Amino acid sequence: MKPSNYSRRKFIATTATGSAAVAVSASVPAFGNITPVRNESEKLAILGGTPVAPEKKWPEWPYVDERVVEEVVKTTRSGIWCRIQSPNGTVPTFEKEFAKLFGIKTSVSTGSGTQALNTVVEALGLGPGDEIITSPYTDPGTIQSILVSRALPVMADLDPESFQLDPDDVERKITKNTRALMPVHMMGQPCNLQRIMEIAKKHNLFVIEDSCQAIMAVYQGKKVGLIGDAGCFSFQTSKVFCCGEGGAIVSNNEELMDKCYTVMNHGTAKSGRTTTIGSKYRMNEFEGAVLLGQMPGLRERHETRNRNAKYLTEQLKDIPGFRPQKLYEGTTEGSYYIYAWAYKKEHWNNAPREKFLKALAAEGISLSPYIANGLHREPWTEHILTLPEYKTMFGAARLKKFKDELNLPVCDQVCQELAMLWASGPLTATTSDMDDLIKAVRKVYANRDKLASI
Ligand SMILES: Cc1ncc(COP(=O)(O)O)c(C=O)c1O
């Protein structure tokens, strides 16, 4: 029931003059066993109070140390700037080192995660007339890796708690032309791969794991990327392991890896013969140098992120309406490229997410809403409907169904509710830094009745 203006005014007046300014909405129960902190009942910084963490500085990202710099200098001086100049260059060396992380013989590196995904799409022989089911809640690179091969990206809706693909909707979207699934491990945490793999097996589909955000995440005892037919990673600057732009492919299937190498290398196989269609997607030696330089502390930073993520979850889990991303059973390590929550405004005096984010930023903690619109709401969907090749390949009835299915309400809801921390650098910080975030969220929660006035 909506309170009348009179009762709302009276309520605010009462709580503002009362002994505890911790306002508790009549319709929402107070949160349980959270230890009170000094700042909690103080005035919001946005209303003139003292910020929890003025001039907060998180560890800088991308990660740079002397070793990274030295590797780049070494490469510059060596004159080996392209991967085919030497089998011992940084890129071939990186491919072996990256493969070791997964316990496989070799990986294939590319110029980006998008290129890695497209390389696998091509290597699996997917293209015109084929449909690949994926998520609308992802980087445009996911969808583009399918479109550049002129296949059709079909989007399924999300699970509202994990923000990952909903396997039931994936299964509903399968048609006679579906050839592959491209699940995305959003925020760096494994999606529901158990169900996705079962569906793929039942319908005889390839699985290309978009693990671009999920390096070193572990699900049911296996590293993500190696559970489907192939997994693709991104080393774009914001990622937890990065070199500006870069990507890699892993797979247990060595024949497929060989094909991926050929596609990545403008269709030219290791034998030197040009055998197939493929763009030139090679990683360059400077990117390889940065990645080799960053490798030594990779595991340690990963463990710190996991430790801090666990701490945040523990400390904030009792705040109603600030629900951390659900992790699927079997997730023993996340990548934590992003730490995300669903902001449920009904627990925050119905204050819109933007007001919450504004108040939090004034306390010194910046969270982001992340993706504004699911990819089902971007103009590419209209664009492909106008293309003669899509009309020929898929036909009017299929394209009408594609258009009709661009209704993905859970994805829309997630876009409206998400609040996230870019975590690559911040989650490598100290426990005391985590405490700042926790205190700031608690303080804003305690003052949620004031959010309407900012
Ligand atoms: C989930 C996901 N898929 C694909 C990509 C594309 O990777 P890249 O930007 O390296 O091409 C990204 C990059 O942000 C991503 O986050």
Side-chain angles (χ1 to χ4, degrees), residues 67-253:
R67 185 156 182 160
V68 175
V69 175
E70 273 169 28
E71 287 286 348
V72 175
V73 171
K74 217 161 75 186
T75 296
T76 309
R77 294 215 163 103
S78 74
I80 294 170
W81 291 3
C82 163
R83 68 162 297 155
I84 59 163
Q85 283 177 266
S86 164
N88 301 318
T90 62
V91 174
T93 307
F94 168 71
E95 285 177 338
K96 287 190 204 98
E97 292 299 316
F98 194 67
K100 273 193 212 158
L101 272 181
F102 291 83
I104 55 175
K105 268 199 206 141
T106 185
S107 63
V108 172
S109 57
T110 58
S112 69
T114 308
Q115 292 176 7
L117 288 163
N118 180 246
T119 298
V120 177
V121 167
E122 283 290 328
L124 289 173
L126 306 174
D130 296 333
E131 298 175 22
I132 302 178
I133 302 176
T134 190
S135 173
Y137 193 65
T138 180
D139 181 85
T142 307
I143 303 286
Q144 293 301 341
S145 75
I146 298 167
L147 289 170
V148 295
S149 289
R150 301 301 190 267
L152 184 67
V154 172
M155 291 164 288
D157 211 350
L158 306 185
D159 173 285
E161 298 195 355
S162 66
F163 322 136
Q164 313 275 14
L165 265 182
D166 168 10
D168 289 335
D169 203 39
V170 168
E171 194 157 24
R172 272 194 291 275
K173 298 275 163 68
I174 292 174
T175 72
K176 64 179 183 2
N177 296 321
T178 307
R179 299 274 314 281
L181 307 180
M182 191 181 278
V184 185
H185 302 295
M186 276 312 271
M187 324 296 175
Q189 284 42 276
C191 68
N192 190 348
L193 264 189
Q194 166 145 357
R195 289 279 324 281
I196 302 262
M197 293 305 292
E198 283 165 7
I199 292 166
K201 202 164 170 205
K202 182 170 150 197
H203 296 273
N204 196 23
L205 305 171
F206 293 117
V207 175
I208 306 166
E209 287 178 68
D210 181 338
S211 316
C212 281
Q213 303 187 351
I215 183 172
M216 292 165 85
V218 177
Y219 178 71
Q220 297 185 344
K222 294 181 185 153
K223 287 223 164 64
V224 307
L226 272 192
I227 299 171
D229 293 277
C232 298
F233 297 87
S234 164
F235 307 124
Q236 180 270 340
T237 303
S238 63
K239 302 297 190 300
V240 298
F241 183 35
C242 63
C243 61
E245 300 284 0
I249 305 161
V250 298
S251 173
N252 284 311
N253 179 340

Side-chain angles (χ1 to χ4, degrees), residues 304-316:
T304 308
R305 277 187 210 98
N306 272 269
R307 203 169 46 247
N308 278 330
K310 212 166 153 197
Y311 183 68
L312 285 181
T313 305
E314 270 304 306
Q315 295 295 315
L316 288 171

